[in-house]
Amino acid sequence: MNRFFLNFLSCPVCQGQLLLYKREFLICHKEQLVYPICSKIPILLKSEAINILEK
Ligand SMILES: [Zn+2]
């Protein structure tokens, strides 16, 4: 996943910018939601997101 590709990804909840998190996730800092990346494909679904505040 390169930064150029990352610029085209936005949070499905708030349309905000997503940042790479621990190399396997994308994070939206606004909602503190983490989206998993499976086989280099980000799963940008709210139902698949992990709320890191609840951990
Ligand atoms: Zn968001």
Side-chain angles (χ1 to χ4, degrees):
M1 171 97 45
N2 62 47
R3 286 182 173 276
F4 184 76
F5 181 48
L6 211 57
N7 287 339
F8 290 97
L9 300 175
S10 58
C11 174
V13 180
C14 70
Q15 312 302 315
Q17 190 184 10
L18 294 171
L19 296 173
L20 204 55
Y21 178 73
K22 293 183 180 177
R23 291 182 175 269
E24 295 176 4
F25 302 94
L26 291 170
I27 185 169
C28 173
H29 285 288
K30 194 170 178 180
E31 292 96 9
Q32 300 287 293
L33 285 175
V34 171
Y35 300 93
I37 300 172
C38 294
S39 303
K40 297 186 178 179
I41 300 167
I43 313 299
L44 298 180
L45 297 172
K46 193 181 180 186
S47 58
E48 298 294 323
I50 302 154
N51 190 325
I52 57 175
L53 291 179
E54 291 174 359
K55 279 194 170 180

